Amino acid sequence: MDSCLFCKIIQRAIPADIVYEDNATLAFKDIRPQAPHHYLIIPKAHLKSLNDISADNRAGVAQLLEVAARVASEQGIAETGYRCVVNNGRHAGQEVDHLHLHLLAGRPLTWPPG
Ligand code: 5GP
Ligand code: ZN
């Protein structure tokens, strides 16, 4: 997807502070962190949202959670705790139409979200 911001980050056309990469997944720091630790974990395949999950790509989507746990461990936040969030669609506040898992940590996080 030529016009997609996160596809451009995958292609290194836009810089990002990358913390993890494998063949199917990329994780990088959010440019406007909402907590001391705030990472975005994305599939390299362009899926717009969770609505695009299918038998063809579900392994890559499941891998987002596995990578979240790995990044949490590497960043030293696995034991204190972290939150994984997907904003899916307009009412959830999704701004970037490339599926991404937010990984937030580093302070007590309130519940419920707004
Ligand atoms: P959404 O609201 O779609 O769930 O989250 C999009 C996230 O992408 C926001 O938290 C926003 O701060 C982050 N973001 C937007 N543009 C950029 C960018 O160019 N680089 C990085 N690293 N994060 C971005
Ligand atoms: Zn994309």
Side-chain angles (χ1 to χ4, degrees):
M1 274 280 282
D2 290 348
S3 61
C4 172
L5 175 65
F6 287 174
C7 282
K8 286 180 182 161
I9 287 178
I10 293 165
Q11 294 155 10
R12 307 299 201 270
I14 290 177
D17 197 340
I18 293 167
V19 296
Y20 175 83
E21 180 169 26
D22 62 31
N23 62 327
T25 315
L26 190 71
F28 51 95
K29 293 186 179 176
D30 195 295
I31 206 166
R32 290 191 301 272
Q34 302 301 316
H37 290 262
H38 188 172
Y39 310 100
L40 299 172
I41 302 161
I42 65 174
K44 288 188 173 175
H46 179 88
L47 310 184
K48 235 177 118 177
S49 75
L50 290 173
N51 299 350
D52 284 354
I53 290 184
S54 70
D56 290 341
N57 58 37
R58 64 184 171 207
V61 176
Q63 204 169 326
L64 300 180
L65 285 168
E66 189 180 346
V67 169
R70 180 181 177 139
V71 169
S73 174
E74 289 174 357
Q75 299 294 330
I77 52 175
E79 299 309 320
T80 43
Y82 54 93
R83 182 172 294 164
C84 295
V85 176
V86 176
N87 294 324
N88 204 75
R90 189 164 48 91
H91 278 188
Q94 183 176 5
E95 288 176 359
V96 178
D97 285 338
H98 181 128
L99 176 62
H100 50 282
L101 185 71
H102 293 261
L103 170 56
L104 297 142
R107 64 170 171 81
L109 298 163
T110 57
W111 191 264

